[in-house]
């Protein structure tokens, strides 16, 4: 049987779109997206920061793909006129000799990423409103318009012949000989396509989709099932944002020092490309029901005083009345509350089937890493289908 497409990509977030752009140069590509449009989930609900790559365990996928992704993303933005700015970022410390300052400096040295120590006087010159005893200045950090980034990826994929079909939910796939038969549900009824390879880039739903594609139930409470099948468990963690009404007192991104065991980087100050200041994200683990329910992206105004407390640690002059509930995104975490962060998982499960790659736990720095993840998938696929 002739395949309809070489590759079927499930999910048109930034990861699926970046992979589609990369693969469409050599293969025929179909992207299936269950929502009305591309990029409407996690990829448009984040801090839009291009990370330097300082925070991740040595040699992890998060570290290597973040650094490679950053190296690819800035030139991509320049070449294709994607609004972005290398704003730089201050990582501020309440004490002059915090062990985390030293640890980050060692990481920067190991990775050859520029990072400069600043004393309180230098901080005042750079950001007069920030109160901190010491800081690290990361000039490689920046911001990007995630929407225009995704539009460019989609446009380039489509120009190379890729087809994006929205309102199409992948519900299963079965291997038959060298091909996959992929089952798709649409408002007009079910259909299916045949392809040579499947890429599962379904974000928060990637784990449940992996189970559906493999015919395994992830909703069991029997943990041995996860171990045997190597399907990890999802711990969705919502991050809320508050926007700041008024002129931003900051010109750079301002982050607190990461606290060990914290599931995020701490409530930080980021700017969008219009100069609008926003704060977030915090970390709230959700049960599965809430994570996939209609109010999953709700931001309660009650969080305001909690945000104000965290922000005042580095900006004592904050007027809390200027904080307004803005938006939320959900991290597809693979680590339970209080447990160390888990790396990205990019896995080819059953090697007896035609190629199928699952991208699991693509939380931050996924936006920064998107172009590098696409490169990696292209290499893996080329090794299998040529
Ligand atoms: C609060 C927060 C802040 C972040 N900040 C940053 C940051 O500053 N910098 C950074 O580098 N990264 C950041 N990230 C991480 C980054 O946003 C993600 O890693 C990235 O957006 C993941 O993209 P994705 O394509 O995997 O997922 P998504 O954008 O969620 O896309 C997956 C798509 O798959 C579709 N889908 C799901 N199931 C199916 C199905 N069965 N059939 C068809 N379609 C399906 C969904 O509708 C969705 O459109 C942040 C994340 C969060 C939550």
């Amino acid at each position: 049987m002739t395949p309809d497409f070489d590759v079927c990509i499930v999910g048109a977030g930034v990861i699926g779109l970046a992979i589609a752009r990369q693969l469409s140069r050599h293969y025929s590509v179909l992207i299936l997206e269950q929502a009305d449009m591309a990029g409407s989930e996690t990829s448009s609900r984040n801090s839009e920061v291009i990370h330097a790559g300082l925070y991740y365990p040595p040699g992890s996928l998060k570290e290597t793909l973040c650094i490679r992704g950053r190296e690819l993303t800035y030139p991509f933005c320049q070449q294709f006129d994607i609004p972005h700015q290398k704003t730089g970022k201050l990582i501020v410390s309440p004490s002059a000799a915090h062990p985390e300052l030293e640890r980050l400096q060692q990481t920067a040295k190991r990775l050859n990423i520029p990072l400069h120590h600043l004393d309180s006087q230098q901080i005042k010159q750079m950001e007069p409103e920030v109160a901190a005893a010491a800081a690290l200045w990361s000039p490689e950090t920046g911001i990007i318009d995630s929407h225009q980034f995704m539009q460019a990826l989609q446009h380039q994929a489509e120009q190379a012949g890729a087809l994006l079909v929205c309102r199409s939910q992948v519900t299963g796939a079965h291997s038959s000989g060298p091909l996959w038969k992929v089952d798709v549900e649409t408002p007009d009824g079910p259909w299916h396509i045949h392809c040579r390879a499947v890429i599962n880039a379904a974000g928060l739903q990637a784990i449940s989709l992996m189970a559906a594609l493999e015919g395994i139930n992830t909703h069991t409470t029997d943990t041995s099932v996860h171990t045997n099948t190597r399907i990890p468990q999802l711990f969705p963690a919502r991050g809320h944002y508050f926007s700041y009404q008024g002129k931003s007192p900051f010109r750079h991104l301002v982050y607190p020092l990461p606290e060990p065991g914290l599931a995020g980087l701490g409530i930080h100050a980021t700017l969008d490309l219009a100069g609008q200041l926003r704060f977030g994200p915090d970390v709230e683990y959700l049960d599965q029901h809430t994570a996939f329910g209609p109010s999953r992206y709700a931001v309660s105004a009650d969080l305001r005083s909690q945000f104000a407390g965290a922000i005042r640690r580095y900006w004592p002059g904050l007027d809390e009345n200027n904080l307004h509930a803005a938006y939320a995104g959900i991290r597809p975490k693979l680590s339970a509350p209080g447990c160390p962060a888990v790396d990205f998982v990019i896995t080819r499960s059953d090697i007896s089937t035609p190629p199928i790659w699952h991208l699991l736990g693509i939380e931050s720095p996924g936006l920064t890493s998107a172009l590098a993840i696409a490169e990696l998938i292209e290499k893996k696929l080329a090794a299998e289908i040529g």
Side-chain angles (χ1 to χ4, degrees):
M1 180 186 288
T2 324
D4 303 301
F5 293 88
D6 291 325
V7 186
C8 173
I9 298 172
V10 189
V14 71
I15 303 298
L17 292 171
I19 294 171
R21 167 185 174 267
Q22 189 84 21
L23 297 186
S24 57
R25 301 168 191 188
H26 310 293
Y27 306 102
S28 61
V29 173
L30 172 68
I31 317 152
L32 295 171
E33 168 55 54
Q34 65 184 10
D36 292 351
M37 56 187 285
S40 58
E41 297 282 342
T42 311
S43 298
S44 53
R45 300 177 158 277
N46 55 58
S47 301
E48 299 187 296
V49 171
I50 301 175
H51 287 293
L54 293 164
Y55 293 117
Y56 317 106
S60 61
L61 285 176
K62 283 183 179 173
E63 183 180 88
T64 50
L65 293 171
C66 180
I67 293 169
R68 176 69 183 149
R70 167 171 54 77
E71 287 168 358
L72 293 169
T73 305
Y74 283 123
F76 181 91
C77 289
Q78 266 156 11
Q79 191 179 353
F80 300 109
D81 278 338
I82 314 298
H84 72 290
Q85 200 185 332
K86 226 187 235 191
T87 50
K89 133 172 139 176
L90 276 177
I91 309 168
V92 298
S93 167
S95 63
H98 197 291
E100 199 58 23
L101 291 170
E102 176 61 25
R103 203 187 61 78
L104 284 170
Q105 280 180 297
Q106 278 171 8
T107 304
K109 203 168 162 196
R110 173 174 60 82
L111 296 170
N112 207 15
I113 298 173
L115 190 68
H116 309 290
H117 187 277
L118 304 183
D119 62 24
S120 56
Q121 285 290 76
Q122 291 167 310
I123 299 167
K124 277 276 166 255
Q125 278 166 12
M126 205 174 232
E127 287 293 0
E129 295 267 339
V130 167
L136 297 172
W137 166 243
S138 166
E140 277 302 310
T141 306
I143 52 176
I144 181 170
D145 183 326
S146 59
H147 301 270
Q148 293 210 34
F149 181 41
M150 287 190 280
Q151 275 168 20
L153 295 171
Q154 179 182 336
H155 178 70
Q156 289 179 27
E158 286 176 338
Q159 281 217 317
L163 180 65
L164 167 66
V165 185
C166 292
R167 293 186 203 125
S168 299
Q169 182 184 37
V170 173
T171 53
H174 315 271
S175 56
S176 70
L179 299 184
W180 282 102
K181 176 174 171 270
V182 178
D183 301 323
V184 190
E185 286 292 334
T186 74
D188 300 326
W191 57 285
H192 63 260
I193 57 116
H194 287 93
C195 58
R196 297 166 71 200
V198 175
I199 311 291
N200 171 7
L204 280 164
Q205 272 119 324
I207 292 178
S208 56
L209 183 65
M210 177 179 182
L213 301 188
E214 310 262 329
I216 297 157
N217 180 11
T218 47
H219 299 298
T220 176
T221 50
D222 177 357
T223 50
S224 67
V225 172
H226 299 305
T227 314
N228 291 343
T229 59
R230 289 173 285 116
I231 294 188
Q233 197 176 341
L234 176 71
F235 297 94
R238 182 161 60 195
H240 307 93
Y241 290 86
F242 276 69
S243 60
Y244 179 78
Q245 188 184 3
K247 192 173 179 306
S248 169
F250 307 138
R251 285 181 304 125
H252 312 96
L253 312 185
V254 182
Y255 279 56
L257 272 182
E259 289 170 30
L262 203 73
L265 296 178
I267 293 176
H268 45 260
T270 56
L271 298 160
D272 66 17
L273 284 145
Q276 172 76 47
L277 181 63
R278 62 192 168 195
F279 292 94
D282 59 353
V283 181
E284 180 193 15
Y285 280 89
L286 303 176
D287 58 51
Q288 305 284 331
H289 182 69
T290 312
F292 295 104
S295 54
R296 62 194 187 280
Y297 293 132
V299 184
S300 165
D302 296 346
L303 291 168
R304 189 161 73 168
S305 56
Q306 204 177 303
F307 265 66
I311 297 163
R312 283 204 186 97
R313 282 186 213 142
Y314 54 87
W315 183 24
L318 167 73
D319 178 354
E320 188 173 330
N321 294 318
N322 288 335
L323 291 179
H324 297 283
Y327 66 97
I330 303 176
R331 307 167 179 89
K333 281 196 173 295
L334 304 181
S335 50
C339 293
V342 172
D343 201 6
F344 294 157
V345 173
I346 299 179
T347 180
R348 160 90 157 93
S349 39
D350 181 353
I351 53 161
S352 66
T353 66
I356 181 164
W357 291 95
H358 305 280
L359 294 111
L360 312 177
I362 312 295
E363 54 172 326
S364 190
L367 180 66
T368 312
S369 308
L371 296 176
I373 291 175
E375 260 187 0
L376 180 69
I377 292 293
E378 183 185 36
K379 274 189 208 131
K380 288 179 183 294
L381 205 63
E384 288 211 53
I385 66 173

